[in-house]
Amino acid sequence: MTGQVEITVNGSPMRLPEGGSVADLLRCLGVETPRVAVERNREILPRSEYAKTLLAEGDVYEVVELVGGG
């Protein structure tokens, strides 16, 4: 049986499979746009790190989709 980690995403608790990455989190959230900013534990995470950064117990994420307009 695979374990799970509990994280907080945009202020809400969430449980996901252990070993998942930030890229997996975005897929789970349905975020498909490249115009997204991810903050992990109060630090901006570079897009190049999404697939390499594993979710850890207690992590706090803020995920913001950037929208253009006038």
Side-chain angles (χ1 to χ4, degrees), residues 1 8 10 14 16 28 38 44 46 48 50-51 56 60-61 65 68:
M1 183 169 129
T8 301
N10 295 347
M14 191 173 195
L16 292 169
C28 181
V38 177
I44 298 293
S48 62
Y50 291 178
V60 176
Y61 290 91
E65 290 185 73

Side-chain angles (χ1 to χ4, degrees), residues 16-60:
L16 292 169
E18 194 172 63
S21 68
V22 171
D24 296 327
L25 169 63
L26 294 176
R27 278 191 289 279
C28 181
L29 294 173
V31 176
E32 298 176 12
T33 178
R35 295 172 51 108
V36 64
V38 177
E39 180 183 277
R40 176 181 180 241
N41 301 327
R42 298 183 171 248
E43 291 187 20
I44 298 293
L45 189 63
R47 185 179 323 282
S48 62
E49 297 295 312
Y50 291 178
K52 298 183 248 181
T53 303
L54 299 182
L55 305 174
E57 186 72 26
D59 277 352
V60 176

